[in-house]
Amino acid sequence: MTDYKLEILEAASGFILNTRNEALFQVKDDGYNWRDNLMTLFGGKIEKGENSTDAFQREIVEEIGPNLITGIVYLFEHPLVDQHKNLKVIRTGTIHMHCARFEGDPSDISIKEGAGFAFVSERNLDRFPIVPHNLEAVRTSCARTLRVALAPR
């Protein structure tokens, strides 16, 4: 049996929906350490002293730019189990899922990590190479719940 290093982490991620309720996904670079050439939700590790909502906001600013999302709502915790394809590392822990509304024009997005982005509708999820634990979280979330949580007030 091969020995693997186990990394335990808490992460913040979420659904950023446009006005057509399409979710924003990041396309990982070819050669990215984890899940290269696949699509993933934006987010990252929760830093010491942060709560998950603050971490989600920080990650969004770092990854696509400031002032692009509004109305962050905490949704649920989702288990994370991810094995690196080349390194002997398994990550496990919890992803704290959020949702937010995308404000602005897609041309306002300035990708700082990854090879690109796409807004994907619920009916087109199976057409894209999405990271398995993100796809499971999307399916678990029930897009109807997201629409209710983000409905204009």
Side-chain angles (χ1 to χ4, degrees):
M1 182 168 162
T2 307
D3 291 323
Y4 281 85
K5 177 184 173 190
L6 182 64
E7 291 181 0
I8 299 173
L9 64 97
E10 295 283 313
S13 186
F15 311 97
I16 300 171
L17 301 179
N18 63 15
T19 56
R20 294 186 305 267
N21 289 317
E22 298 166 321
L24 180 62
F25 284 87
Q26 174 186 35
V27 181
K28 292 295 187 181
D29 302 88
D30 182 26
Y32 178 73
N33 287 334
W34 291 88
R35 305 296 187 168
D36 57 336
N37 297 313
L38 293 178
M39 296 174 73
T40 185
L41 295 170
F42 286 91
K45 291 181 183 177
I46 298 173
E47 303 292 338
K48 187 175 181 176
E50 279 184 319
N51 64 43
S52 67
T53 302
D54 290 342
F56 180 63
Q57 176 70 45
R58 175 186 49 77
E59 287 287 340
I60 297 310
V61 170
E62 289 175 2
E63 294 177 0
I64 67 172
N67 306 317
L68 294 176
I69 65 170
T70 60
I72 298 174
V73 176
Y74 183 85
L75 294 175
F76 57 88
E77 293 180 3
H78 188 76
L80 167 67
V81 177
D82 199 8
Q83 182 174 333
H84 194 282
K85 69 177 185 176
N86 296 321
L87 301 176
K88 295 180 178 179
V89 178
I90 296 175
R91 294 190 300 190
T92 186
T94 303
I95 303 174
H96 298 270
M97 299 301 297
H98 301 77
C99 63
R101 180 63 69 192
F102 177 76
E103 299 291 337
D105 189 270
S107 64
D108 296 333
I109 296 173
S110 176
I111 293 292
K112 301 194 179 51
E113 293 181 15
F117 69 91
F119 283 98
V120 179
S121 69
E122 183 181 10
R123 71 176 183 277
N124 288 322
L125 288 172
D126 292 326
R127 296 181 181 186
F128 293 91
I130 298 172
V131 171
H133 62 262
N134 279 178
L135 185 58
E136 184 181 340
V138 170
R139 295 205 190 289
T140 299
S141 73
C142 185
R144 182 177 29 141
T145 301
L146 297 177
R147 285 191 286 275
V148 169
L150 294 173
R153 299 193 196 300

